[in-house]
Amino acid sequence: MFRLPEVPVGSRAVGLYRTAKRGRVSENEKFIGSFGGMMIEMLPDDLAFTVFVPSQKAFERDLRLRVNDSLVGEKMNDTYAIVSRVMGFSAVPRTLSSVMVPVGREVSYDSISGFPLYITKDIDGMLVVNRIRSERVDIMKGEIVVHVMDGVVMDAEFEQSFQPDYSEE
């Protein structure tokens, strides 16, 4: 059974994800986005990980998470649970830069939740993970390698929980 950590309420709740950042936002942080930043902050930055982070657009399109709506009030706990589940599907406990994947050959690794990831590289250098193409590769955040994806790496059961219900009652 998957248990999530207790989330503090009140002034310490902001500690889960630092919403206020000082200074300029770097070019890479724009690609990673708020929810991707949450995913990365869940990992220790002094250990080698590779994370296939959905783009901000993919979080909105596939998981219906919006920065102005999902990171406030009561929705913060649900958002944290969704983002941590996605992180379990898309983080690998090793460094995997795009140059380590040969063009035209498939490599496979298990994510930290045990979900199998099948990774290939297109001729243009972009990675494809479980049929989801990357938008940006090899962003370094400490020891963590981040690849921004045009979709969400997840299992079919979790994906189905975000599909519209067309059944008639």
Side-chain angles (χ1 to χ4, degrees):
M1 183 162 175
F2 186 69
R3 281 186 57 86
L4 296 173
E6 289 297 318
V7 178
V9 179
S11 63
R12 297 216 47 220
V14 175
L16 291 173
Y17 179 66
R18 292 180 286 277
T19 55
K21 298 201 185 229
R22 295 184 181 173
R24 294 181 339 164
V25 176
S26 75
E27 186 71 21
N28 289 335
E29 287 175 3
K30 290 178 189 175
F31 282 103
I32 293 170
S34 299
F35 301 116
M38 282 178 77
M39 286 177 64
I40 294 165
E41 286 183 3
M42 292 175 189
L43 297 168
D45 59 2
D46 59 340
L47 297 176
F49 280 94
T50 299
V51 187
F52 301 98
V53 174
S55 66
Q56 198 71 29
K57 186 172 83 176
F59 271 110
E60 290 180 18
R61 180 188 64 225
D62 301 342
L63 300 176
R64 296 186 216 112
L65 294 179
R66 288 165 184 73
V67 174
N68 295 336
D69 183 48
S70 302
L71 293 175
V72 294
E74 294 290 318
K75 292 184 179 183
M76 183 63 185
N77 289 344
D78 293 339
T79 301
Y80 187 81
I82 291 167
V83 170
S84 65
R85 184 90 188 267
V86 170
M87 195 259 312
F89 291 128
S90 59
V92 177
R94 61 169 291 142
T95 299
L96 183 65
S97 66
S98 63
V99 297
M100 298 169 76
V101 180
V103 174
R105 301 203 43 214
E106 182 178 89
V107 296
S108 63
Y109 296 99
D110 287 341
S111 71
I112 57 176
S113 69
F115 184 65
L117 302 177
Y118 303 99
I119 306 159
T120 59
K121 182 165 64 175
D122 283 345
I123 292 174
D124 65 357
M126 292 292 116
L127 297 178
V128 178
V129 180
N130 295 13
R131 297 184 310 218
I132 299 171
R133 192 170 198 286
S134 60
E135 294 181 351
R136 186 127 174 148
V137 295
D138 301 331
I139 299 171
M140 295 301 298
K141 299 288 279 180
E143 294 294 315
I144 300 171
V145 180
V146 180
H147 305 291
V148 179
M149 310 301 290
D150 183 27
V152 181
V153 176
M154 59 185 152
D155 70 5
E157 181 181 353
F158 189 66
E159 182 178 4
Q160 194 160 17
S161 67
F162 291 96
Q163 299 301 315
D165 185 12
Y166 295 115
S167 63
E168 296 181 69
E169 294 181 28

